[in-house]
Amino acid sequence: MISLRINGESKTVDAPGDMPLLWALRDLLGLTGTKFGCGIAQCGACTVHVDGKPVRSCLLPLNAIGDRAITTIEGIGATAAGAKVQKAWLHLEVIQCGYCQSGQIMSATALLNSTPNPDDSDINAAMAGNICRCGTYVRIREAIKQAAQSV
Ligand code: FES
Ligand code: FES
């Protein structure tokens, strides 16, 4: 049994220590907002926060997490920056198919927490690992800037 702190709650999963966090979130805990894209840390769809830092959960084994705090898309709206990001996303209708967007929001929120007023190069650096096959990049950039104005 492995204990995890997820979205402010303690959870226990019956899983091998080398299971990636993404599998536990989706298949054992029912937190399906975090998506499986590539499985090899190349697309960003599976991004969650570990102690506030964006992490690809598809390659993070459960036994490497310890007591660090995990935040998923289901919990990010309870944070100040996360709420602003989600509001801007809705206001600008960023989402197309939606598959990549939980990862995009998690990376954008982490960016605003570390860099409250990001410029284009900050956004490029922070969001480079989040792929959107629908090409919503222009609206993502605009929404990050709108959220930054209100954080
Ligand atoms: S599923 Fe983890 S980075 Fe693509
Ligand atoms: S909105 Fe469809 S992959 Fe990004």
Side-chain angles (χ1 to χ4, degrees):
M1 302 295 280
I2 296 174
S3 296
L4 300 167
R5 285 198 295 140
I6 303 178
N7 299 332
E9 294 181 11
S10 294
K11 300 285 184 184
T12 303
V13 291
D14 184 1
D18 62 354
M19 175 184 279
L21 173 60
L22 178 61
W23 273 243
L25 292 174
R26 292 185 54 83
D27 295 345
L28 304 181
L29 295 167
L31 294 169
T32 55
T34 306
K35 302 303 185 196
F36 175 88
C38 63
I40 53 170
Q42 295 296 307
C43 76
C46 66
T47 304
V48 300
H49 291 185
V50 177
D51 278 352
K53 302 279 188 284
V55 171
R56 307 299 187 235
S57 64
C58 67
L59 284 191
L60 178 64
L62 294 174
N63 61 11
I65 299 170
D67 65 355
R68 291 183 291 166
I70 299 160
T71 307
T72 69
I73 189 66
E74 288 86 355
I76 199 67
T79 70
K84 301 287 187 190
V85 167
Q86 289 184 327
K87 186 175 177 187
W89 244 247
L90 288 171
H91 185 244
L92 293 170
E93 299 183 347
V94 169
I95 294 168
Q96 191 162 321
C97 83
Y99 200 85
C100 73
Q101 296 290 333
S102 53
Q104 304 281 3
I105 286 171
M106 298 306 288
S107 291
T109 302
L111 167 62
L112 292 183
N113 280 330
S114 63
T115 309
N117 287 299
D119 60 20
D120 281 337
S121 64
D122 296 325
I123 293 171
N124 290 344
M127 303 302 293
N130 287 83
I131 307 302
C132 176
R133 79 187 91 183
C134 300
T136 63
Y137 301 110
V138 173
R139 294 198 298 278
I140 286 172
R141 182 181 304 278
E142 198 177 341
I144 290 171
K145 291 181 175 178
Q146 184 173 104
Q149 288 170 1
S150 57
V151 166

mmCIF file of all heavy atoms in Angstrom, residues 89-120:
data_model
loop_
_atom_site.group_PDB
_atom_site.id
_atom_site.type_symbol
_atom_site.label_atom_id
_atom_site.label_comp_id
_atom_site.label_asym_id
_atom_site.label_seq_id
_atom_site.Cartn_x
_atom_site.Cartn_y
_atom_site.Cartn_z
ATOM 1 N N TRP A 89 -9.225 30.800 -19.382
ATOM 2 C CA TRP A 89 -9.413 29.745 -20.403
ATOM 3 C C TRP A 89 -10.854 29.736 -20.900
ATOM 4 O O TRP A 89 -11.111 29.603 -22.096
ATOM 5 C CB TRP A 89 -9.060 28.376 -19.802
ATOM 6 C CG TRP A 89 -7.892 27.680 -20.406
ATOM 7 C CD1 TRP A 89 -7.921 26.518 -21.125
ATOM 8 C CD2 TRP A 89 -6.507 28.055 -20.327
ATOM 9 N NE1 TRP A 89 -6.652 26.162 -21.502
ATOM 10 C CE2 TRP A 89 -5.768 27.078 -21.027
ATOM 11 C CE3 TRP A 89 -5.820 29.121 -19.743
ATOM 12 C CZ2 TRP A 89 -4.391 27.135 -21.166
ATOM 13 C CZ3 TRP A 89 -4.443 29.172 -19.865
ATOM 14 C CH2 TRP A 89 -3.747 28.198 -20.576
ATOM 15 N N LEU A 90 -11.783 29.866 -19.958
ATOM 16 C CA LEU A 90 -13.199 29.864 -20.346
ATOM 17 C C LEU A 90 -13.560 31.144 -21.095
ATOM 18 O O LEU A 90 -14.265 31.109 -22.110
ATOM 19 C CB LEU A 90 -14.079 29.718 -19.098
ATOM 20 C CG LEU A 90 -14.070 28.334 -18.453
ATOM 21 C CD1 LEU A 90 -14.795 28.376 -17.105
ATOM 22 C CD2 LEU A 90 -14.711 27.304 -19.362
ATOM 23 N N HIS A 91 -13.054 32.270 -20.583
ATOM 24 C CA HIS A 91 -13.400 33.557 -21.171
ATOM 25 C C HIS A 91 -12.950 33.634 -22.628
ATOM 26 O O HIS A 91 -13.663 34.165 -23.496
ATOM 27 C CB HIS A 91 -12.768 34.689 -20.352
ATOM 28 C CG HIS A 91 -13.156 36.058 -20.810
ATOM 29 N ND1 HIS A 91 -12.250 36.966 -21.316
ATOM 30 C CD2 HIS A 91 -14.357 36.668 -20.871
ATOM 31 C CE1 HIS A 91 -12.886 38.074 -21.655
ATOM 32 N NE2 HIS A 91 -14.155 37.928 -21.398
ATOM 33 N N LEU A 92 -11.778 33.107 -22.914
ATOM 34 C CA LEU A 92 -11.220 33.177 -24.266
ATOM 35 C C LEU A 92 -11.532 31.923 -25.092
ATOM 36 O O LEU A 92 -11.066 31.814 -26.231
ATOM 37 C CB LEU A 92 -9.713 33.409 -24.201
ATOM 38 C CG LEU A 92 -9.331 34.781 -23.635
ATOM 39 C CD1 LEU A 92 -7.837 34.876 -23.351
ATOM 40 C CD2 LEU A 92 -9.749 35.893 -24.590
ATOM 41 N N GLU A 93 -12.297 31.017 -24.499
ATOM 42 C CA GLU A 93 -12.684 29.782 -25.200
ATOM 43 C C GLU A 93 -11.462 29.113 -25.823
ATOM 44 O O GLU A 93 -11.419 28.833 -27.036
ATOM 45 C CB GLU A 93 -13.770 30.069 -26.240
ATOM 46 C CG GLU A 93 -15.043 30.625 -25.600
ATOM 47 C CD GLU A 93 -16.174 30.852 -26.594
ATOM 48 O OE1 GLU A 93 -15.923 30.822 -27.814
ATOM 49 O OE2 GLU A 93 -17.306 31.066 -26.146
ATOM 50 N N VAL A 94 -10.478 28.860 -24.994
ATOM 51 C CA VAL A 94 -9.211 28.296 -25.463
ATOM 52 C C VAL A 94 -9.393 26.902 -26.040
ATOM 53 O O VAL A 94 -8.793 26.538 -27.052
ATOM 54 C CB VAL A 94 -8.193 28.248 -24.290
ATOM 55 C CG1 VAL A 94 -6.969 27.433 -24.688
ATOM 56 C CG2 VAL A 94 -7.804 29.653 -23.866
ATOM 57 N N ILE A 95 -10.259 26.132 -25.425
ATOM 58 C CA ILE A 95 -10.285 24.689 -25.675
ATOM 59 C C ILE A 95 -10.927 24.343 -27.017
ATOM 60 O O ILE A 95 -11.949 24.910 -27.375
ATOM 61 C CB ILE A 95 -11.042 23.993 -24.525
ATOM 62 C CG1 ILE A 95 -10.249 24.148 -23.223
ATOM 63 C CG2 ILE A 95 -11.313 22.526 -24.837
ATOM 64 C CD1 ILE A 95 -11.015 23.756 -21.981
ATOM 65 N N GLN A 96 -10.281 23.383 -27.715
ATOM 66 C CA GLN A 96 -10.925 22.819 -28.905
ATOM 67 C C GLN A 96 -11.366 21.396 -28.556
ATOM 68 O O GLN A 96 -12.413 21.218 -27.933
ATOM 69 C CB GLN A 96 -10.005 22.872 -30.125
ATOM 70 C CG GLN A 96 -10.770 22.536 -31.403
ATOM 71 C CD GLN A 96 -10.058 22.984 -32.655
ATOM 72 O OE1 GLN A 96 -9.461 24.052 -32.716
ATOM 73 N NE2 GLN A 96 -10.128 22.153 -33.682
ATOM 74 N N CYS A 97 -10.593 20.356 -28.838
ATOM 75 C CA CYS A 97 -11.046 19.011 -28.451
ATOM 76 C C CYS A 97 -10.924 18.794 -26.953
ATOM 77 O O CYS A 97 -11.643 18.001 -26.367
ATOM 78 C CB CYS A 97 -10.279 17.929 -29.202
ATOM 79 S SG CYS A 97 -8.670 17.502 -28.493
ATOM 80 N N GLY A 98 -9.960 19.476 -26.339
ATOM 81 C CA GLY A 98 -9.808 19.418 -24.886
ATOM 82 C C GLY A 98 -8.785 18.439 -24.370
ATOM 83 O O GLY A 98 -8.413 18.495 -23.194
ATOM 84 N N TYR A 99 -8.313 17.536 -25.242
ATOM 85 C CA TYR A 99 -7.491 16.435 -24.717
ATOM 86 C C TYR A 99 -6.216 16.912 -24.023
ATOM 87 O O TYR A 99 -5.834 16.390 -22.985
ATOM 88 C CB TYR A 99 -7.127 15.457 -25.843
ATOM 89 C CG TYR A 99 -6.734 14.117 -25.287
ATOM 90 C CD1 TYR A 99 -7.708 13.166 -24.997
ATOM 91 C CD2 TYR A 99 -5.410 13.823 -25.006
ATOM 92 C CE1 TYR A 99 -7.363 11.947 -24.442
ATOM 93 C CE2 TYR A 99 -5.064 12.604 -24.453
ATOM 94 C CZ TYR A 99 -6.042 11.673 -24.172
ATOM 95 O OH TYR A 99 -5.705 10.469 -23.618
ATOM 96 N N CYS A 100 -5.587 17.921 -24.564
ATOM 97 C CA CYS A 100 -4.320 18.399 -24.003
ATOM 98 C C CYS A 100 -4.505 19.406 -22.875
ATOM 99 O O CYS A 100 -3.540 19.800 -22.228
ATOM 100 C CB CYS A 100 -3.487 19.074 -25.090
ATOM 101 S SG CYS A 100 -4.157 20.703 -25.568
ATOM 102 N N GLN A 101 -5.748 19.871 -22.684
ATOM 103 C CA GLN A 101 -5.921 21.132 -21.955
ATOM 104 C C GLN A 101 -5.710 21.041 -20.450
ATOM 105 O O GLN A 101 -5.316 22.023 -19.828
ATOM 106 C CB GLN A 101 -7.292 21.729 -22.275
ATOM 107 C CG GLN A 101 -7.452 22.127 -23.742
ATOM 108 C CD GLN A 101 -6.623 23.337 -24.133
ATOM 109 O OE1 GLN A 101 -6.314 24.181 -23.304
ATOM 110 N NE2 GLN A 101 -6.259 23.426 -25.402
ATOM 111 N N SER A 102 -5.955 19.887 -19.838
ATOM 112 C CA SER A 102 -5.657 19.825 -18.406
ATOM 113 C C SER A 102 -4.157 19.994 -18.195
ATOM 114 O O SER A 102 -3.729 20.708 -17.280
ATOM 115 C CB SER A 102 -6.185 18.539 -17.782
ATOM 116 O OG SER A 102 -5.733 17.419 -18.486
ATOM 117 N N GLY A 103 -3.364 19.385 -19.059
ATOM 118 C CA GLY A 103 -1.916 19.566 -18.958
ATOM 119 C C GLY A 103 -1.495 20.998 -19.230
ATOM 120 O O GLY A 103 -0.607 21.541 -18.571
ATOM 121 N N GLN A 104 -2.155 21.620 -20.204
ATOM 122 C CA GLN A 104 -1.827 23.025 -20.516
ATOM 123 C C GLN A 104 -2.112 23.913 -19.296
ATOM 124 O O GLN A 104 -1.314 24.793 -18.947
ATOM 125 C CB GLN A 104 -2.665 23.513 -21.704
ATOM 126 C CG GLN A 104 -2.560 22.702 -22.980
ATOM 127 C CD GLN A 104 -1.324 22.968 -23.804
ATOM 128 O OE1 GLN A 104 -0.447 23.744 -23.412
ATOM 129 N NE2 GLN A 104 -1.228 22.333 -24.950
ATOM 130 N N ILE A 105 -3.261 23.691 -18.677
ATOM 131 C CA ILE A 105 -3.651 24.513 -17.516
ATOM 132 C C ILE A 105 -2.696 24.284 -16.348
ATOM 133 O O ILE A 105 -2.324 25.235 -15.644
ATOM 134 C CB ILE A 105 -5.119 24.217 -17.143
ATOM 135 C CG1 ILE A 105 -6.047 24.859 -18.185
ATOM 136 C CG2 ILE A 105 -5.449 24.690 -15.726
ATOM 137 C CD1 ILE A 105 -7.503 24.463 -18.059
ATOM 138 N N MET A 106 -2.277 23.051 -16.151
ATOM 139 C CA MET A 106 -1.346 22.789 -15.048
ATOM 140 C C MET A 106 0.004 23.470 -15.296
ATOM 141 O O MET A 106 0.592 24.062 -14.379
ATOM 142 C CB MET A 106 -1.150 21.279 -14.868
ATOM 143 C CG MET A 106 -2.411 20.526 -14.497
ATOM 144 S SD MET A 106 -3.281 21.150 -13.039
ATOM 145 C CE MET A 106 -2.179 20.636 -11.723
ATOM 146 N N SER A 107 0.501 23.440 -16.531
ATOM 147 C CA SER A 107 1.775 24.110 -16.823
ATOM 148 C C SER A 107 1.628 25.623 -16.735
ATOM 149 O O SER A 107 2.513 26.312 -16.219
ATOM 150 C CB SER A 107 2.271 23.708 -18.218
ATOM 151 O OG SER A 107 2.668 22.361 -18.225
ATOM 152 N N ALA A 108 0.511 26.149 -17.227
ATOM 153 C CA ALA A 108 0.291 27.599 -17.177
ATOM 154 C C ALA A 108 0.192 28.091 -15.732
ATOM 155 O O ALA A 108 0.731 29.149 -15.379
ATOM 156 C CB ALA A 108 -0.980 27.953 -17.945
ATOM 157 N N THR A 109 -0.482 27.325 -14.897
ATOM 158 C CA THR A 109 -0.625 27.727 -13.492
ATOM 159 C C THR A 109 0.727 27.694 -12.781
ATOM 160 O O THR A 109 1.055 28.608 -12.010
ATOM 161 C CB THR A 109 -1.632 26.813 -12.784
ATOM 162 O OG1 THR A 109 -2.879 26.874 -13.467
ATOM 163 C CG2 THR A 109 -1.826 27.238 -11.333
ATOM 164 N N ALA A 110 1.518 26.678 -13.050
ATOM 165 C CA ALA A 110 2.850 26.619 -12.450
ATOM 166 C C ALA A 110 3.693 27.805 -12.903
ATOM 167 O O ALA A 110 4.444 28.393 -12.114
ATOM 168 C CB ALA A 110 3.536 25.302 -12.821
ATOM 169 N N LEU A 111 3.546 28.191 -14.160
ATOM 170 C CA LEU A 111 4.284 29.345 -14.668
ATOM 171 C C LEU A 111 3.890 30.605 -13.894
ATOM 172 O O LEU A 111 4.769 31.366 -13.454
ATOM 173 C CB LEU A 111 3.987 29.535 -16.160
ATOM 174 C CG LEU A 111 4.439 30.871 -16.771
ATOM 175 C CD1 LEU A 111 5.949 31.015 -16.687
ATOM 176 C CD2 LEU A 111 3.964 30.987 -18.214
ATOM 177 N N LEU A 112 2.597 30.838 -13.720
ATOM 178 C CA LEU A 112 2.165 32.062 -13.042
ATOM 179 C C LEU A 112 2.552 32.059 -11.567
ATOM 180 O O LEU A 112 2.779 33.117 -10.981
ATOM 181 C CB LEU A 112 0.658 32.259 -13.201
ATOM 182 C CG LEU A 112 0.194 32.571 -14.623
ATOM 183 C CD1 LEU A 112 -1.301 32.827 -14.649
ATOM 184 C CD2 LEU A 112 0.934 33.762 -15.204
ATOM 185 N N ASN A 113 2.631 30.881 -10.980
ATOM 186 C CA ASN A 113 3.074 30.823 -9.576
ATOM 187 C C ASN A 113 4.545 31.191 -9.431
ATOM 188 O O ASN A 113 4.941 31.782 -8.436
ATOM 189 C CB ASN A 113 2.810 29.429 -8.997
ATOM 190 C CG ASN A 113 1.363 29.252 -8.573
ATOM 191 O OD1 ASN A 113 0.702 30.216 -8.179
ATOM 192 N ND2 ASN A 113 0.870 28.032 -8.646
ATOM 193 N N SER A 114 5.344 30.854 -10.450
ATOM 194 C CA SER A 114 6.782 31.162 -10.357
ATOM 195 C C SER A 114 7.123 32.495 -11.011
ATOM 196 O O SER A 114 8.079 33.160 -10.618
ATOM 197 C CB SER A 114 7.603 30.042 -11.001
ATOM 198 O OG SER A 114 7.311 29.954 -12.384
ATOM 199 N N THR A 115 6.331 32.898 -12.007
ATOM 200 C CA THR A 115 6.593 34.124 -12.775
ATOM 201 C C THR A 115 5.263 34.838 -12.976
ATOM 202 O O THR A 115 4.569 34.597 -13.971
ATOM 203 C CB THR A 115 7.232 33.773 -14.138
ATOM 204 O OG1 THR A 115 8.348 32.910 -13.923
ATOM 205 C CG2 THR A 115 7.694 35.021 -14.879
ATOM 206 N N PRO A 116 4.873 35.710 -12.054
ATOM 207 C CA PRO A 116 3.520 36.285 -12.098
ATOM 208 C C PRO A 116 3.228 37.108 -13.348
ATOM 209 O O PRO A 116 2.065 37.204 -13.749
ATOM 210 C CB PRO A 116 3.477 37.154 -10.841
ATOM 211 C CG PRO A 116 4.489 36.548 -9.930
ATOM 212 C CD PRO A 116 5.576 36.042 -10.816
ATOM 213 N N ASN A 117 4.249 37.711 -13.952
ATOM 214 C CA ASN A 117 4.032 38.493 -15.175
ATOM 215 C C ASN A 117 4.935 37.978 -16.288
ATOM 216 O O ASN A 117 5.899 38.635 -16.670
ATOM 217 C CB ASN A 117 4.304 39.975 -14.901
ATOM 218 C CG ASN A 117 3.204 40.586 -14.062
ATOM 219 O OD1 ASN A 117 2.034 40.614 -14.464
ATOM 220 N ND2 ASN A 117 3.559 41.053 -12.868
ATOM 221 N N PRO A 118 4.627 36.840 -16.846
ATOM 222 C CA PRO A 118 5.524 36.237 -17.840
ATOM 223 C C PRO A 118 5.496 36.984 -19.165
ATOM 224 O O PRO A 118 4.444 37.467 -19.605
ATOM 225 C CB PRO A 118 4.940 34.824 -18.003
ATOM 226 C CG PRO A 118 3.497 34.966 -17.676
ATOM 227 C CD PRO A 118 3.422 36.026 -16.617
ATOM 228 N N ASP A 119 6.667 37.095 -19.793
ATOM 229 C CA ASP A 119 6.710 37.618 -21.162
ATOM 230 C C ASP A 119 6.667 36.431 -22.134
ATOM 231 O O ASP A 119 6.572 35.267 -21.715
ATOM 232 C CB ASP A 119 7.931 38.509 -21.378
ATOM 233 C CG ASP A 119 9.250 37.783 -21.161
ATOM 234 O OD1 ASP A 119 9.259 36.530 -21.218
ATOM 235 O OD2 ASP A 119 10.265 38.457 -20.930
ATOM 236 N N ASP A 120 6.725 36.742 -23.425
ATOM 237 C CA ASP A 120 6.580 35.669 -24.414
ATOM 238 C C ASP A 120 7.645 34.592 -24.260
ATOM 239 O O ASP A 120 7.364 33.400 -24.438
ATOM 240 C CB ASP A 120 6.611 36.247 -25.827
ATOM 241 C CG ASP A 120 5.276 36.861 -26.229
ATOM 242 O OD1 ASP A 120 4.241 36.472 -25.648
ATOM 243 O OD2 ASP A 120 5.264 37.740 -27.109
#
